[in-house]
Amino acid sequence: MSDGRERSWLAPPEGVRRHAPATLRNRAPIATILAQLLPEAGRVLEVASGSGEHCAYFAEHFPKLEWQPSDPDPDALASIAAWCDGLGNVRPPVALDAAAAAAWPVAHADALLCVNMVHISPWAATLGLMAGAGRLLPPGGPLILYGPYREAGVPTAPSNEAFDQSLRARNPAWGLRLLDEVIAAAAAQGLVFERRVAMPANNLIVAFRRS
């Protein structure tokens, strides 16, 4: 089962904290690749932070980086704040909807991270993410995506096919994206495709750099 399919079924184990079970399985493999891609210091903007569990984990493992979580959902913002409470290198979460035309509440970032949003959002959110990365990132700054994708010439795993069908049944604007189209959308904003890394449970990390 793909990690991404569990992101939308978040349950609060205590108080306002939400919990995504897949986080416990995928956070360590993601952190291993982030160590190769993130700058040693600076600000990382996480777009669509969800429960906030990833942000809390990564902030502890990359203490020299300042983490800025975000999400459009008020309940998610409360959960993020709860999970990251007490972490000195995490800024208060901000409301950010990548699909909205409004200006982002963050003026700059040295890196952008987006986990499990591209397939659980309208295509406009991906386009907004690319545009935001093109505006905020300095030359050489990374945009790092994680989640399941379709790839031309590569058979899609049956579990991902089923996941795609379930997403589109819930919202016709959602679904697994063709990686070539994501790369093209990034290129239009001055983001150069750098790396594709196969991850557990039929997911990928896809990395870009601002030109």
Side-chain angles (χ1 to χ4, degrees):
M1 179 176 286
S2 171
D3 287 353
R5 70 196 62 191
E6 297 186 43
R7 183 184 183 282
S8 292
W9 287 270
L10 300 176
E14 53 178 281
V16 298
R17 286 187 174 188
R18 294 179 169 188
H19 175 55
T23 303
L24 297 177
R25 298 193 297 271
N26 66 31
R27 62 187 186 181
I30 294 174
T32 297
I33 306 303
L34 291 184
Q36 304 170 22
L37 297 170
L38 291 174
E40 291 187 7
R43 177 181 296 181
V44 180
L45 170 61
E46 184 184 20
V47 176
S49 299
S51 68
E53 295 168 277
H54 276 135
C55 185
Y57 181 84
F58 298 148
E60 290 182 330
H61 282 71
F62 300 96
K64 293 182 180 180
L65 290 166
E66 178 187 70
W67 292 81
Q68 175 62 75
S70 71
D71 204 275
D73 178 9
D75 291 337
L77 295 176
S79 177
I80 296 163
W83 279 107
C84 296
D85 184 41
L87 295 174
N89 62 329
V90 180
R91 297 176 63 85
V94 295
L96 191 161
D97 182 352
W104 285 17
V106 179
H108 75 277
D110 298 291
L112 261 68
L113 172 65
C114 187
V115 175
N116 287 332
M117 183 201 80
V118 170
H119 55 290
I120 312 181
S121 62
W123 179 241
T126 296
L127 297 179
L129 173 67
M130 300 307 180
R135 291 193 307 269
L136 269 63
L137 289 174
L143 167 64
I144 305 163
L145 310 180
Y146 172 89
Y149 292 88
R150 293 186 179 277
E151 297 183 87
V154 178
T156 303
S159 59
N160 278 355
E161 289 286 6
F163 182 34
D164 180 65
Q165 292 176 16
S166 71
L167 288 173
R168 295 181 187 278
R170 295 173 63 205
N171 187 328
W174 295 0
L176 272 65
R177 308 300 178 187
L178 184 63
L179 184 57
D180 285 346
E181 294 180 354
V182 174
I183 292 173
Q189 301 297 333
L191 302 162
V192 179
F193 173 66
E194 178 180 287
R195 190 183 309 182
R196 168 206 178 278
V197 182
M199 300 295 287
N202 302 312
N203 287 289
L204 299 177
I205 280 181
V206 184
F208 303 87
R209 295 276 175 182
R210 181 72 171 87
S211 61

